[in-house]
Amino acid sequence: MSHESLIARLAAEAAPVEPLPAPQARATRWILLALAAVVVGVAVRGIRRNWQVAAADPWFLVTFALILATGLSAAVLAMALAVPGAVQRRWVRWVPFVLLAAWGTVL
């Protein structure tokens, strides 16, 4: 089978496809699934015993915020990068890495 006949056959049998939802919508679904996994983990293992002490520590809160921001930005960026041309600004690709570096400096 030649390339031309393969392409012609595939084009003749092609069915319409539904476009992907927006990257933010797909990332939201992924984040909700991850949140459900966290809830299950907390239900199984329980919350840490000294959570009040940890919540009062400013470095813990900064670290937690950086972890959350890194994960959320990486999820949204991953969903956007899955669609060619969806990310127009090149600097946006570096946001999760900058946040990861900031998180690493806090550790």
Side-chain angles (χ1 to χ4, degrees):
M1 175 179 285
S2 69
H3 289 92
E4 291 80 15
S5 62
L6 175 63
I7 292 171
R9 192 185 98 216
L10 290 174
E13 297 172 1
V17 295
E18 184 177 324
L20 286 172
Q24 293 84 357
R26 290 184 287 128
T28 300
R29 284 189 228 144
W30 184 85
I31 291 166
L32 288 174
L33 181 64
L35 185 61
V38 168
V39 168
V40 169
V42 169
V44 169
R45 298 266 311 160
I47 198 163
R48 64 187 290 172
R49 294 173 196 204
N50 65 342
W51 68 270
Q52 292 172 327
V53 175
D57 181 16
W59 283 112
F60 176 81
L61 296 176
V62 168
T63 304
F64 179 76
L66 285 170
I67 291 169
L68 192 62
T70 302
L72 292 175
S73 65
V76 172
L77 185 63
M79 298 302 166
L81 287 175
V83 178
V87 179
Q88 298 296 322
R89 297 179 185 98
R90 294 182 65 84
W91 64 267
V92 173
R93 298 175 185 182
W94 292 100
V95 170
F97 297 107
V98 170
L99 290 169
L100 182 64
W103 174 21
T105 60
V106 171
L107 295 177

